[in-house]
Amino acid sequence: MEDLKYNEGERLAADYIEGILLPTPTCDLWDQIWNFQAKPDDLLVSTYPKAGTTWTQEIVDLIQNEGNVDHSQRAPTHERFPFIELIIPPLINGLEQANNMPSPRTLKTHLPIQLLPPSFLEKNCKIIYVARNAKDNMVSYYHFQRMNRTLPHPGTWEEYFETFMTGKVCWGSWYDHVKGWWKAKDQHNILYLFYEDMKKNPKHEIKKLANFIGKDLDDKTLDKIVYHTAFDVMKKNPMANYTSMPTEIMNHSVSPFMRKGTTGDWKNHFTVAQNEIFDEDYKKKMADTNLTFQF
Ligand code: PPS
């Protein structure tokens, strides 16, 4: 495998596309990404980074396979589901992967709704959006930026707390992302789910996903999917835990991709003062939506 085009200790740079920070190689191919041609039978898993994408992808794969666990072992997550705007030269080109994949395709994106390639909505593709409460999402993203060299270094937790709240992270503001997709869900073919609901009642949410995908699964298959997509099982699954990524990209010894997989870990990171500042700011930023979260 060729070396990444940056040196030990360095990170990929990031730039802005319409005010949204994205890794520079993604910005460099932006015209091609924007003009991506979705097909009517594409299924898209869309999330803000660290909201439960990988978990949802594994569930979706097992629903599509009707619980065939061996089939879900055919390749690592990032090969089974092209991540359309992920460009890490020369290792990964999600756009090419998607274009070369036979239909029906299941794709991944973290793009905010306004940057979604228009063909997805024009072709009325089914889209699954998963949202996670901002505090846990922030904590998870912080640890991910520590271990992932294709994203900017997060700095200290105190610094990151500000960076996240001001939306100066890759893929932009959490607040705008979840609100934008929430607004879009009523006009398009979008199933909007929550990480916290999936944690509380996985079988119920898996059933919702199966219905949306158009699969009628029996109870035994649903139970099998619940088991194989539980955090502890996925953490040990080399095809789902991102350990197959080159260490130049993800260094699991800094922080594992499958880190905690819980709701409420923010309480181990936020100080009382930070929590007050956060809540105050959150109220203002979320005043214009009826979207609510469980913390
Ligand atoms: S990414 O890089 O944006 O695709 O990351 P993403 O998959 O969205 O989010 C990673 C977080 O999801 C947790 N995770 C899970 N939680 C519960 N159950 C299962 N099966 C599961 N699989 C992954 C993962 O641990 C990350 O959250 P944190 O809080 O960091 O542990």
Side-chain angles (χ1 to χ4, degrees), residues 47-55 57 108 110 132 136 139-141 143-144 195 199 229-232 234 242 250 256-262 265:
T47 52
Y48 188 75
K50 313 321 287 179
T53 331
T54 315
W55 186 12
Q57 288 170 307
K108 162 183 171 178
H110 287 320
R132 185 179 192 181
D136 284 326
V139 168
S140 183
Y141 207 176
H143 289 293
F144 189 58
Y195 180 98
K199 244 356 249 189
T229 57
F231 179 75
D232 293 340
M234 274 186 60
Y242 277 102
M250 289 187 190
F257 184 94
M258 293 287 172
R259 196 182 58 87
K260 288 219 174 149
T262 55
D265 186 42

